[in-house]
Amino acid sequence: MSQSLDIAVIGATGTVGETLVQILEERDFPIANLHLLASSESAGHSVPFRGKNVRVREVDEFDFGKVQLVFFAAGPAVTLSFAPRATAAGCAIIDLSGALPAPHVVPEANAPVLKTLGKPVQVSSPSAAATALAVVLAPLKGLDIQRVNLTACLAVSSQGREAVTELARQTAELLNARPLEPRFFDRQMAFNLLAQVGKPDADGHGVLEKRLVSELRELLAAPLLKISVTCIQAPVFFGDSYSVSLQTAAEVDLAAVNATLEAAQGIELVETGDYPTAVGDAVGQDVVYVGRVRGGVDDPCELNLWLTADNVRKGAALNAVQLAELLIKDLL
Amino acid sequence: MSQSLDIAVIGATGTVGETLVQILEERDFPIANLHLLASSESAGHSVPFRGKNVRVREVDEFDFGKVQLVFFAAGPAVTLSFAPRATAAGCAIIDLSGALPAPHVVPEANAPVLKTLGKPVQVSSPSAAATALAVVLAPLKGLDIQRVNLTACLAVSSQGREAVTELARQTAELLNARPLEPRFFDRQMAFNLLAQVGKPDADGHGVLEKRLVSELRELLAAPLLKISVTCIQAPVFFGDSYSVSLQTAAEVDLAAVNATLEAAQGIELVETGDYPTAVGDAVGQDVVYVGRVRGGVDDPCELNLWLTADNVRKGAALNAVQLAELLIKDLL
């Protein structure tokens, strides 16, 4: 391919934005000009790309006519503010913020949806949890999954850099036997588990939990799939872990499940009897790790799995770049 | 009550044994003579009781004829070695090791079982997870629970003092950017989640997982209850957390559930919209904390809960002392 695209990344100084730029470089994405954008607070910083430091500029002043593709990797408010200008300029949009009513796509699960999109293209890269789950559950659809029971143990990095700093600070205070005054989190995060991520709605559900249910149903094209989900915050810096129990219509054939997962794209199945961890396996990797593949203690229609995935890479930045790779032929 | 018992505690220098002695004192259990016993390695240490230091003696040399009640708070091998001698001497046994084929009892769930026991009495205090779950699920039996989906996030103290020291050591090494060489755990425990506690069997189930299923069914007198369970090891020193999703036969009435939990023994229900944590609520407390009481996102026959409990107290030592309190009239 000799042609290249002009691209903008909004939110380029965040954890996800920076990783996105790094993945664009790693995967040799055909870029002519890369525009890194952020709010006025972060503008002026630089981000390394292809051996140079690229200056981050204010998104407010950007002329979207200069690019064909925009990644929205900042918060939902930023997407809602600037997506109309990008669309008016004819840009394709890959949204990582969950703000746009655009179809959610994980290439391993529902890539064909990309061919149905109108112009200019708008597509959403789902939440990290829905992405990891979809990669693993899509190839298992043959099991006729009736229900997904999930406890998602999220790394603090899913809440940004401040949360990472706060976990380190709290841990150091406690190890030095100094009194703890929580800052970013509303209570002790170090050596503790928080049962809720963000404020719950009137029914007690977190935003992420409801988002996961709706995104996963969409990604698996299973609008009636029953999903019970609890998202908790674990004292882990990077890498999400998922405890998954599936209920199936027919008896589970574990050998067939293992063969299916072994053959599937984007999955690394660990040896029987072993299990992956966020820190030891997932962090910095592109695949979703799967282990503890086992049936129920005595229910033949139950399948249990333990997944770990890099919440910043496959959970966000990598999936967005994969979407861009699939869209590139239409954009050039 | 004017009479008192002569008691032996085996495993008195362990985390659970020490707490057991402390709880016997706190609750003013009627003790005439307290004999603290341990293996030859730990004999010679002292444990405080009623303002004195009680010397720990070798269990090997103990004359069980001196006591009416024995707590087995060491490992299963110790129970299997010495229970026959205690029984031959006519002692009642409360076993915390899971080694004896004696009925499991949690007073809040199935106290009437105690009245059916032969002499000398043998009763098992269940695993920490089964105990916490039984306290909360027993009063909810009216929901006609069809299935329990559980992810149990266990504190490292459930593996003893060495595990606690190792989590602290690993954390300090990492914060000081020194290379990590795991000792007690086979990999990094600090800032990580381990998906398995102990070695799995050929089917991939952990001993604790199978024990939980069988104990919980017994405690709830629900031999056919479907239970899916994953026990994970969290980087938390003390206090277990449980992510629980129940499937019920009929629609869940949340107001009724809240009223039932509010009225039940041994439970502290936190305010709607809030949640308890291991560190902030459960540790050092006698009750099981319950929060995040909510239905399914759109399944009316689903009930989700988050529990935290002190794994050493209610999960072990306290429950054992409660059993002794209920048995005392028969023993005096």
Side-chain angles (χ1 to χ4, degrees):
Chain A
M1 194 177 303
S2 60
Q3 283 180 288
S4 296
L5 283 176
D6 298 312
I7 286 181
V9 176
I10 299 177
T13 57
T15 321
V16 171
E18 248 188 48
T19 306
L20 205 155
V21 173
Q22 186 189 320
I23 293 175
L24 288 168
E25 179 172 340
E26 281 172 20
R27 295 170 74 100
D28 210 11
F29 195 85
I31 296 176
N33 291 294
L34 177 67
H35 300 268
L36 302 185
L37 306 169
S39 62
S40 54
E41 288 162 34
S42 300
H45 287 87
S46 297
V47 172
F49 180 69
R50 292 185 184 160
K52 290 183 187 164
N53 283 322
V54 180
R55 179 73 63 91
V56 177
R57 304 193 181 276
E58 268 194 55
V59 58
D60 238 346
E61 296 164 2
F62 185 66
D63 170 12
F64 284 93
K66 291 181 175 175
V67 297
Q68 293 94 56
L69 171 63
V70 183
F71 291 97
F72 279 91
V78 176
T79 307
L80 292 174
S81 294
F82 297 98
R85 275 171 53 187
T87 306
C91 304
I93 292 178
I94 296 177
D95 177 30
L96 293 89
S97 73
L100 296 185
H104 294 81
V105 180
V106 169
E108 294 86 343
N110 64 339
V113 168
L114 294 176
K115 296 199 192 302
T116 68
L117 303 176
K119 294 285 170 69
V121 165
Q122 290 199 355
V123 61
S124 302
S125 190
S127 61
T131 303
L133 267 285
V135 167
V136 177
L137 299 189
L140 296 176
K141 282 192 78 173
L143 288 175
D144 196 359
I145 300 168
Q146 302 290 298
R147 188 183 189 95
V148 179
N149 299 295
L150 168 69
T151 297
C153 310
L154 306 182
V156 295
S157 53
S158 62
Q159 302 227 36
R161 286 219 182 77
E162 218 182 323
V164 171
T165 309
E166 174 64 358
L167 173 57
R169 189 191 68 83
Q170 284 195 8
T171 307
E173 295 291 80
L174 289 167
L175 282 191
N176 289 297
R178 285 193 292 256
L180 189 73
E181 286 168 29
R183 287 179 201 158
F184 181 86
F185 300 103
D186 67 349
R187 55 194 96 186
Q188 182 178 330
M189 175 76 262
F191 307 116
N192 203 13
L193 297 168
L194 308 189
Q196 208 159 262
V197 180
K199 283 219 171 109
D201 66 13
D203 296 324
H205 303 296
V207 172
L208 260 181
E209 290 163 349
K210 293 188 85 164
R211 193 176 159 194
L212 178 100
V213 170
S214 105
E215 289 177 353
L216 190 55
R217 286 173 176 166
E218 181 186 345
L219 294 167
L220 299 176
L224 300 177
L225 181 62
K226 290 187 175 173
I227 305 175
S228 84
V229 54
T230 298
C231 289
I232 72 173
Q233 194 77 70
V236 170
F237 290 110
F238 295 95
D240 292 339
S241 302
Y242 304 96
S243 171
V244 186
S245 184
L246 306 176
Q247 292 165 240
T248 62
E251 292 197 8
V252 174
D253 175 346
L254 284 173
V257 166
N258 277 301
T260 302
L261 292 173
E262 191 73 67
Q265 290 291 310
I267 291 176
E268 176 75 25
L269 181 65
V270 307
E271 270 177 52
T272 305
D274 198 6
Y275 60 89
T277 74
V279 170
D281 300 285
V283 170
Q285 299 301 314
D286 290 349
V287 292
V288 179
Y289 284 80
V290 183
R292 293 215 71 193
V293 179
R294 66 199 194 282
V297 166
D298 47 19
D299 182 353
C301 299
E302 181 183 318
L303 175 65
N304 296 290
L305 306 167
W306 174 260
L307 321 182
T308 64
D310 187 315
N311 52 309
V312 178
R313 288 182 74 93
K314 181 57 188 173
L318 172 64
N319 194 68
V321 174
Q322 286 177 300
L323 294 176
E325 288 171 345
L326 292 172
L327 290 170
I328 197 165
K329 280 183 211 145
D330 296 332
L331 298 176
L332 283 170
Chain B
M1 194 178 300
S2 59
Q3 284 178 290
S4 297
L5 284 176
D6 298 313
I7 286 181
V9 176
I10 299 176
T13 56
T15 321
V16 171
E18 249 188 45
T19 306
L20 204 155
V21 172
Q22 186 188 322
I23 293 175
L24 287 169
E25 179 172 341
E26 281 172 19
R27 295 171 74 101
D28 210 12
F29 194 86
I31 296 176
N33 290 294
L34 178 65
H35 300 268
L36 302 185
L37 306 169
S39 63
S40 53
E41 288 161 34
S42 301
H45 286 87
S46 297
V47 172
F49 180 68
R50 293 185 185 160
K52 291 183 186 164
N53 283 321
V54 180
R55 179 72 64 89
V56 177
R57 302 191 183 277
E58 267 194 56
V59 57
D60 239 344
E61 295 163 3
F62 185 65
D63 169 12
F64 284 94
K66 290 181 176 176
V67 297
Q68 293 94 55
L69 172 62
V70 183
F71 290 96
F72 279 90
V78 175
T79 306
L80 292 174
S81 292
F82 296 99
R85 273 171 53 187
T87 305
C91 304
I93 292 177
I94 296 177
D95 177 30
L96 292 89
S97 73
L100 296 185
H104 294 81
V105 180
V106 170
E108 294 87 344
N110 65 339
V113 168
L114 294 176
K115 295 197 193 305
T116 68
L117 303 176
K119 295 287 171 67
V121 165
Q122 289 200 355
V123 60
S124 302
S125 190
S127 61
T131 304
L133 267 285
V135 167
V136 177
L137 299 189
L140 296 177
K141 282 192 78 174
L143 288 174
D144 197 359
I145 300 168
Q146 302 290 297
R147 189 184 188 95
V148 179
N149 299 295
L150 169 68
T151 297
C153 310
L154 307 183
V156 294
S157 52
S158 61
Q159 302 226 39
R161 285 220 182 75
E162 217 182 325
V164 171
T165 310
E166 174 65 357
L167 172 57
R169 188 190 69 81
Q170 284 195 9
T171 307
E173 295 291 80
L174 290 166
L175 282 191
N176 288 297
R178 285 193 292 256
L180 189 73
E181 286 168 28
R183 289 179 200 158
F184 181 87
F185 300 102
D186 67 350
R187 56 195 96 185
Q188 182 178 331
M189 175 76 262
F191 307 114
N192 202 13
L193 297 168
L194 309 189
Q196 207 160 262
V197 180
K199 284 220 172 107
D201 66 13
D203 296 323
H205 304 295
V207 172
L208 261 181
E209 289 163 349
K210 293 188 87 162
R211 194 177 159 195
L212 177 100
V213 170
S214 106
E215 289 177 352
L216 191 56
R217 285 175 177 164
E218 181 186 346
L219 294 167
L220 299 176
L224 300 177
L225 182 62
K226 289 186 175 173
I227 305 175
S228 84
V229 54
T230 298
C231 289
I232 72 171
Q233 194 78 67
V236 170
F237 290 111
F238 295 95
D240 292 339
S241 303
Y242 303 96
S243 171
V244 186
S245 184
L246 306 177
Q247 291 165 242
T248 62
E251 293 196 9
V252 175
D253 174 345
L254 283 174
V257 167
N258 277 302
T260 302
L261 293 173
E262 191 72 67
Q265 291 290 310
I267 292 175
E268 177 76 24
L269 180 66
V270 306
E271 269 176 53
T272 306
D274 197 7
Y275 60 88
T277 74
V279 170
D281 299 285
V283 170
Q285 300 301 313
D286 290 348
V287 293
V288 180
Y289 283 79
V290 182
R292 294 215 72 194
V293 179
R294 65 199 194 281
V297 166
D298 47 19
D299 181 354
C301 298
E302 181 184 319
L303 176 65
N304 296 290
L305 306 166
W306 174 260
L307 321 182
T308 65
D310 187 315
N311 53 310
V312 178
R313 288 182 74 93
K314 182 57 188 172
L318 172 65
N319 194 67
V321 174
Q322 286 177 301
L323 294 177
E325 288 171 344
L326 292 173
L327 290 170
I328 197 165
K329 280 183 210 144
D330 296 333
L331 297 176
L332 282 170

